[in-house]
Amino acid sequence: MAKSRNNLLGVGGQRKKLSRAEQQGAGSARGADRKAAEDKKQELVRKMRERAEAQAATTAAEPGEQDASPAQS
């Protein structure tokens, strides 16, 4: 006889372990933690972009100022 088709034990992956709060319907704290971490990451990326833009603007302005100095002498 071939393999049993009725025994599906282990098919479909594993279920995650639920905490007591999750079992009682309080929901997951992980979702809130992930949201907070994502917000912090977005804020950090925004600050880094602003700094990079400011540095690029000052770098672009400096050569123009240096070129003007020798011409005035």
Side-chain angles (χ1 to χ4, degrees), residues 54-65:
Q55 185 177 8
T58 57
T59 305
E62 288 176 3
E65 293 173 0

Side-chain angles (χ1 to χ4, degrees), residues 4-69:
S4 172
R5 302 270 181 210
N6 295 330
N7 185 7
L8 297 177
L9 182 64
V11 175
Q14 296 178 351
R15 296 181 184 182
K16 73 172 187 157
K17 304 285 186 190
L18 296 175
S19 68
R20 287 187 179 196
E22 289 172 331
Q23 289 174 359
Q24 295 172 357
S28 172
R30 287 183 214 163
D33 291 342
R34 286 183 182 159
K35 178 70 172 148
E38 183 66 27
D39 291 343
K40 288 180 183 179
K41 182 178 177 183
Q42 292 297 325
E43 183 67 17
L44 179 62
V45 169
R46 184 186 63 80
K47 287 180 181 179
M48 290 175 66
R49 283 186 182 148
E50 287 177 356
R51 288 180 187 161
E53 289 173 0
Q55 185 177 8
T58 57
T59 305
E62 288 176 3
E65 293 173 0
Q66 291 175 355
D67 292 339
S69 298

